[in-house]
Amino acid sequence: MDTEVHLPERDRADAAERRDERSRFGVRTQRYALLVVAAAAVVALVNVFVAQPFEIPSGSMENTLRAGDRVLVNKLAYRFGGMPARGEVVVFDGGGSFVQGSGGTDFVKRVVGVGGDRVTCCDSRGRITVNGRPLDETYLYPGDTPSRVAFDIEVPKGRLWVMGDHRADSRDSRDHLGDPGGGTVPVDKVIGRAEATIWPLGRRRSLDGAHG
């Protein structure tokens, strides 16, 4: 014969309270999990479409950027009709220009010439000229010359001539003069504009370097 157990009133209340607490805990856990998933989705969308941190792999942009620096790249800078400007630091996919074959590699360089520009090295004072005007390249690595490689190129429409700030330690447009595109990079391969150094904390600063 079954024996029915009767709990005291207080015990029944405590058991009900424990069940309610477990239920509330379960609801809080579900809400927390949903918030984590939503936050991760927002971060992923921002990285894909808006802004993304990139780590600098080499010293080719010293002293502006050093190996290990992290820069915030604005991926919307050129999405709505904007075009890279001379002097801006950009991140681009080098597939088909700096890297031949399938599968590109991301590079960070400074825009020296845009479509239609004639970029020449060098004038009588050793300066790079764009459309006959010498550049005042204050961002160059201390002790570097603007270029030890002579060149004279007219940048095709829709393409960019790019160089590293540490000219003696940068493989850039000069190294690909004989490749398809003559060393220039298609604008549509630009991932975005580097806006600021965000890490290490002691090197945080904006990267406004346009020179007209």
Side-chain angles (χ1 to χ4, degrees):
M1 182 175 64
D2 293 336
T3 301
E4 186 177 353
V5 178
H6 295 280
L7 295 174
E9 187 68 30
R10 174 175 288 182
D11 290 345
R12 288 200 299 271
D14 288 345
E17 185 175 344
R18 286 193 295 271
R19 287 195 299 272
D20 289 344
E21 181 61 28
R22 286 195 296 269
S23 177
R24 288 194 295 270
F25 179 75
V27 171
R28 287 197 300 269
T29 302
Q30 289 176 347
R31 288 176 178 171
Y32 177 75
L34 288 173
L35 285 173
V36 169
V37 171
V42 169
V43 170
L45 287 172
V46 168
N47 278 347
V48 171
F49 297 108
V50 182
Q52 182 177 354
F54 279 81
E55 182 174 353
I56 303 304
S58 72
S60 69
M61 283 294 293
E62 289 182 336
N63 274 336
T64 305
L65 300 171
R66 298 175 183 171
D69 284 355
R70 284 175 172 80
V71 296
L72 187 65
V73 175
N74 179 359
K75 302 178 85 170
L76 296 180
Y78 312 121
R79 287 283 178 89
F80 304 104
M83 294 289 287
R86 304 181 196 97
E88 291 181 338
V89 177
V90 297
V91 173
F92 60 92
D93 176 359
S97 56
F98 279 29
V99 177
Q100 301 307 312
S102 60
T105 301
D106 294 343
F107 293 83
V108 57
K109 301 293 178 187
R110 191 179 296 275
V111 177
V112 175
V114 299
D117 285 344
R118 183 179 179 183
V119 186
T120 304
C121 177
C122 286
D123 68 5
S124 59
R125 294 175 56 185
R127 299 170 297 182
I128 289 175
T129 65
V130 177
N131 302 323
R133 297 174 56 189
L135 299 182
D136 181 17
E137 299 187 283
T138 57
Y139 42 73
L140 288 184
Y141 185 80
D144 261 4
T145 59
S147 180
R148 293 193 177 111
V149 176
F151 57 85
D152 186 348
I153 184 169
E154 184 169 331
V155 183
K157 293 291 185 182
R159 300 182 76 95
L160 306 170
W161 179 268
V162 297
M163 302 174 73
D165 289 355
H166 191 174
R167 299 286 160 81
D169 192 33
S170 175
R171 294 184 60 83
D172 47 44
S173 287
R174 297 168 297 170
D175 295 277
H176 300 279
L177 285 165
D179 294 342
T184 60
V185 176
V187 170
D188 60 13
K189 287 295 190 79
V190 174
I191 296 168
R193 180 175 63 217
E195 299 285 6
T197 307
I198 57 176
W199 187 263
L201 295 179
R203 286 180 51 75
R204 288 181 301 174
R205 65 188 184 91
S206 65
L207 296 173
D208 181 17
H211 51 60

